[in-house]
Amino acid sequence: MNTLGNKLRVTIFGQSHAPAIGCVVEGLPAGFAPDMEQVAAFMARRAPGQNAWSTSRKESDRPEILSGLVDGKTCGAPVAMAIRNSDQHSRDYSGLKRTPRPSHADYTALVKFGSSYDIRGGGQFSGRLTAPLCFAGALALQVLAGRGISVGAHIAQIGQVWDKATDFAHVDQEALAAVGRNSFPVFDGDAGDAMRQAIEAARLDGDSVGGVIRCFALGLPAGIGEPMFGGVENRLAAALFGIPAVRGVSFGDGFAAAAMRGSAHNDPFVMDGERVSTRTNHAGGVLGGITTGMPLVVNIAVKPTASIAMPQDTVDLETKEPASLTIHGRHDPCIVPRAVPVAEAVTALTLLDMLMED
């Protein structure tokens, strides 16, 4: 249940307040020399405690390579790494086995695993485990780049505020790369300011806010994926739903297509030199589960952070009576900004796995 992929397999291990978290990556080509500075920079985009819209938990997220690299190159053995946890406040979670947090996995985990479940920091359900996922994704991004494929994402929406619209058929690779270098990854700076204000307003209210991440893959060849249950959408959706707090995944125009006529939603085929292309890209780069060669467009809806400071209704599992819960601890008022590199990582891992299969 903690393993992603077929040819490229990533297994995540650890809990939020365990001594360490980490991953094992199998299937990377031997002789690949990852740029570890790029890996560190990518992981830093997800790391906590860096700004006002992030939890104050301080973790270096420095990966300790345990196996798989010799003289800086992959040797064909699994690449294993660990990240030591250093800033846990486990006392903040005492009592939650008795009064589970609304919209958390506390209750379902207790039903599934019993009283042995590690509830500290959310245990294995914590967003903390996306740190090793970003390590693996950073490696996949570098392998994809060597094949002329890039993956990048931006914050499309926070609350009721939207980033500027993007032409799905003509995504600017340089502009997308520049967005990834921003501490708040949006195309429109004014929209970014308004989004930060929305996050701060929620934080001051003791509340939280959600949003939408839009992820692009550029340079993908046509013909990747399988029909029916092995399609690109199927595989990506299954993987992306493994990211904590993801509540929806769509492609291209997504649910907006339901309100359109076919004449507006269809993407006319055209010739771009010797290459078959489409004039528009409402489909998001996939038809019949198979890539078209156009930019892949994935929309990921992220719920508001479940841990909020406002009093909430729950139940006392011992007395079976209603109870009120005020959550303590350190939590993001909005998960979306830190989830952007996680979405990129999962997309890169899934696409590289499918390319290796093909």
Side-chain angles (χ1 to χ4, degrees):
M1 63 183 178
N2 283 39
T3 299
L4 172 67
N6 296 318
K7 291 288 187 180
L8 178 68
R9 293 169 57 87
V10 179
T11 300
I12 305 295
F13 66 84
Q15 305 105 257
S16 179
H17 288 197
I21 55 177
C23 68
V24 178
V25 185
E26 301 173 84
L28 287 170
F32 164 56
D35 185 327
M36 298 309 293
E37 290 187 4
Q38 287 187 19
V39 170
F42 184 79
M43 294 181 67
R45 293 170 56 197
R46 192 225 66 94
Q50 301 187 84
N51 42 59
W53 54 86
S54 167
T55 171
S56 60
R57 180 174 178 174
K58 298 290 186 181
E59 296 284 0
S60 65
D61 281 1
R62 184 177 297 108
E64 177 186 347
I65 308 300
L66 305 176
S67 69
L69 293 181
V70 177
D71 296 329
K73 295 181 179 181
T74 54
C75 63
V79 175
M81 78 88 180
I83 298 171
R84 304 294 172 180
N85 287 326
S86 61
D87 187 21
Q88 306 100 307
H89 289 183
S90 298
R91 64 183 180 276
D92 293 336
Y93 299 88
S94 60
L96 294 181
K97 285 186 177 180
R98 179 168 177 171
T99 53
R101 295 169 291 178
S103 291
H104 270 278
D106 297 345
Y107 174 69
T108 52
L110 286 166
V111 172
K112 183 77 173 178
F113 301 116
S115 61
S116 297
Y117 164 58
D118 182 5
I119 204 166
R120 302 168 304 164
Q124 64 177 313
F125 296 91
S126 171
R128 180 90 187 106
L129 272 71
T130 60
L133 198 54
C134 281
F135 170 84
L139 300 180
L141 284 164
Q142 292 186 35
V143 177
L144 288 173
R147 300 186 178 199
I149 299 168
S150 61
V151 175
H154 72 117
I155 302 172
Q157 178 187 4
I158 294 288
Q160 300 301 313
V161 184
W162 285 84
D163 197 7
K164 73 176 182 181
T166 305
D167 181 352
F168 294 167
H170 303 93
V171 181
D172 188 319
Q173 185 170 351
E174 291 300 321
L176 187 61
V179 164
R181 292 190 290 269
N182 293 338
S183 61
F184 200 85
V186 292
F187 287 107
D188 183 348
D190 291 338
D193 291 340
M195 290 177 183
R196 284 190 287 266
Q197 291 171 15
I199 295 172
E200 179 63 7
R203 187 189 70 81
L204 292 174
D205 288 340
D207 213 335
S208 61
V209 66
V212 174
I213 298 167
R214 180 164 291 138
C215 190
F216 302 93
L218 310 180
L220 276 175
I224 302 301
E226 302 293 338
M228 294 292 287
F229 306 114
V232 172
E233 297 116 320
N234 309 58
R235 296 278 293 274
L236 273 173
L240 289 165
F241 273 117
I243 301 173
V246 168
R247 302 307 301 154
V249 176
S250 70
F251 296 82
D253 285 350
F255 279 86
M260 300 169 69
R261 290 191 171 189
S263 56
H265 185 265
N266 289 351
D267 297 315
F269 287 105
V270 296
M271 293 304 301
D272 181 9
E274 296 296 317
R275 172 177 171 267
V276 175
S277 182
T278 57
R279 186 176 299 123
T280 54
N281 190 24
H282 299 289
V286 185
L287 293 171
I290 302 169
T291 56
T292 65
M294 296 296 288
L296 181 70
V297 184
V298 190
N299 310 295
I300 304 130
V302 180
K303 73 177 182 180
T305 313
S307 290
I308 58 177
M310 301 172 67
Q312 299 179 82
D313 292 334
T314 185
V315 295
D316 186 317
L317 296 178
E318 290 188 11
T319 67
K320 308 299 183 185
E321 296 289 336
S324 179
L325 175 67
T326 299
I327 298 172
H328 302 287
R330 302 161 297 174
H331 308 283
D332 300 69
C334 183
I335 299 168
V336 177
R338 292 177 58 212
V340 170
V342 184
E344 294 175 0
V346 172
T347 299
L349 287 165
T350 305
L351 293 177
L352 180 55
D353 185 38
M354 297 188 75
L355 285 163
M356 292 171 69
E357 289 176 346
D358 193 71

